[in-house]
Each structure stands twice: as C-alpha cells, then as structure tokens.
Amino acid sequence: MKNQYRVNEQIHAREVRVVGESGSMVLPIRQALDMAQEQGVDLVEISPNAQPPVCRLIDYSKFIYQQKKHQKEMKAKQVKVEVKEIRFGPQTDEHDYQFKLKHAIEFLEEGNKVRAYVFFRGRSILFKEQGEVLLLRFANDLEEYGKVEQLPKLEGKKMFLYVAPKKAGVAKKSQQKMDREKRMAEAKEVMKAEQEVRQVDNGLFANAKGGDDVLSKLRAIGQEGDE
C-alpha cells in the first residue's frame, strides 16, 4: 500500500490541487510542499489521474493506517458465501427427502448456496430420469428461498442442481403465501368464534324446556338487528 501513493518529492506534477476541510486550491508543487513542511505533515497524492493531481496534507503514516482500517472494515462486511452439499440417492424415501429439504432451507436462509446431487451407484444409473424428477421437485420446494442457477445436469455418476439464495441471510415469503396464511388465520378465527357460540348455546339452552324455540327467537332478533 505504501507504494500505491506518491509522497512529497515523489510527486512530479508542476501544480496540484490541495484539498482539506476548508476546501481546495490549486498550487504550484513547490508551494504545496512548503505548506506541508510548515504544518509538519506530508503532501500525499491521492488522485494522480486528475487534472491537476489531487493531494492532501496529512501525516502519511496516519493516512496508511486509516486506509488499512477501512479495507479491513469493508472485508468484514462482505458476506462469505459457502457452497453446501446435499446428497440424494435415486430412490430417496420421503422422510429422508424432507430432512434434507429442511437443511437446504437453513443453508439458503444463512446466505449460502446449495449444490444438490443424486449419486448413481453401479446400475442405478438406469434411474437417472427418476433422479432428475427428484432434483426438479427439490428446486420447486426451494423456490421461495432460492433461485436455480443450474438445472439438473448429469456429470459422470452424479446429477447436479445448483441453487443460490434469493437474498443473503434473508428468505422473504412470497406475497401469495402471505395472503394464503392470512386467509387461513382468518378462517381459524371464524371457526373458533362459531365453536364458542355453539358451546354457549348448548350450555344455556340444551337442557331448558323449549330451548330450541328460545334459540330460534334469539337468532331471529339478531338477524333483524343486522338488517
């Protein structure tokens, strides 16, 4: 990094633009160097391709430290994407399939890619179409959490499927699924309310003389009120 910037006498331009907190000004290189010396700092060329080159008056060691710190922070913010493998057999049973589907969802939610493959051992290569159907089902079940980067492809004795996360670390529900869950929740609330009403009706009037007539009258009054 130290060789990345020209400093002081290494700057060959006739004039430079010196930038600072108070603004910027174009100065002959000699005047800019004198200014740096007076302030006890360095003249650092930070943009050599500008016309004229842009320089800063700063302690060079401090400048390099800040640059390294910034790069370290940027590197720490980068999400490290790993490729997680899920292995199937051409005749994977339903329990094993659901177990591996759950793990694949977790991998995608964490921001990792998933490489699923079916391994054909010996004569099981005869079931390659069955393996392809399994991987296509797998891709469909992961649609909410990831996007297919490569459809099932046979390479030697393995058929691969690649799925990438839709968004690193976050798997959003589709609007369609959210609407469906909302309707289901509303339906459950209605069923619960109706059940409570039936329980109250049965408790109050089931054993009462003429209870059915009383219930009919109460429902009729309720209907009139609604109108």
Side-chain angles (χ1 to χ4, degrees):
M1 182 173 288
K2 287 186 177 181
N3 297 327
Q4 217 173 341
Y5 303 95
R6 296 190 183 97
V7 186
N8 299 328
E9 303 296 340
Q10 297 175 353
I11 304 172
H12 305 305
R14 291 186 176 181
E15 58 182 15
V16 295
R17 180 179 296 277
V18 180
V19 295
E21 295 179 359
S22 58
S24 67
M25 52 185 156
V26 177
L27 300 172
I29 184 62
R30 189 70 261 164
Q31 187 175 344
L33 288 170
D34 291 342
M35 184 182 296
Q37 189 174 9
E38 289 173 2
Q39 296 183 18
V41 294
D42 300 295
L43 183 68
V44 182
E45 186 183 60
I46 59 173
S47 183
N49 296 325
Q51 294 296 329
V54 178
C55 298
R56 286 184 63 186
L57 296 173
I58 190 172
D59 182 277
Y60 187 53
S61 298
K62 182 179 179 181
F63 175 75
I64 293 298
Y65 171 77
Q66 289 175 343
Q67 292 295 306
K68 287 182 177 179
K69 184 179 178 182
H70 177 70
Q71 287 184 2
K72 188 175 181 180
E73 290 174 351
M74 293 297 294
K75 189 175 181 180
K77 289 180 181 179
Q78 291 177 351
V79 178
K80 185 179 180 181
V81 178
E82 296 182 5
V83 179
K84 302 290 187 177
E85 283 196 341
I86 301 288
R87 174 177 171 170
F88 291 102
Q91 294 178 310
T92 300
D93 61 39
E94 184 63 22
H95 176 76
D96 192 31
Y97 175 85
Q98 293 297 334
F99 178 77
K100 290 177 178 179
L101 176 64
K102 179 183 176 181
H103 278 289
I105 291 172
E106 291 174 355
F107 293 149
L108 292 170
E109 286 181 332
E110 291 169 358
N112 299 307
K113 291 185 178 182
V114 170
R115 177 170 63 186
Y117 69 92
V118 178
F119 179 68
F120 300 97
R121 189 189 304 275
R123 297 183 64 183
S124 66
I125 192 69
L126 297 173
F127 299 100
K128 65 179 182 179
E129 290 185 0
Q130 190 171 336
E132 183 178 7
V133 170
L134 185 148
L135 288 177
L136 289 173
R137 176 193 174 189
F138 196 61
N140 185 65
D141 289 343
L142 293 174
E143 182 180 7
E144 182 180 331
Y145 305 92
K147 54 185 178 181
V148 175
E149 286 191 332
Q150 178 185 302
L151 288 169
K153 182 180 179 182
L154 186 64
E155 298 178 16
K157 293 184 178 181
K158 296 179 180 179
M159 182 176 287
F160 291 95
L161 168 76
Y162 289 86
V163 183
K166 283 189 174 179
K167 188 175 182 181
V170 177
K172 289 187 176 180
K173 293 184 179 179
S174 64
Q175 186 62 43
Q176 184 178 6
K177 183 167 183 178
M178 287 192 291
D179 291 341
R180 184 168 64 250
E181 290 179 350
K182 183 180 178 182
R183 288 196 299 271
M184 289 176 65
E186 291 174 349
K188 286 181 180 179
E189 288 298 322
V190 171
M191 291 174 64
K192 183 178 178 182
E194 289 179 350
Q195 187 177 9
E196 290 175 352
V197 170
R198 284 197 295 271
Q199 290 174 349
V200 172
D201 290 348
N202 292 335
L204 289 174
F205 303 107
N207 299 320
K209 185 177 180 180
D212 291 341
D213 294 337
V214 175
L215 282 173
S216 299
K217 290 179 181 180
L218 286 173
R219 290 193 181 104
I221 293 171
Q223 290 175 357
E224 290 176 2
D226 292 339
E227 293 175 356

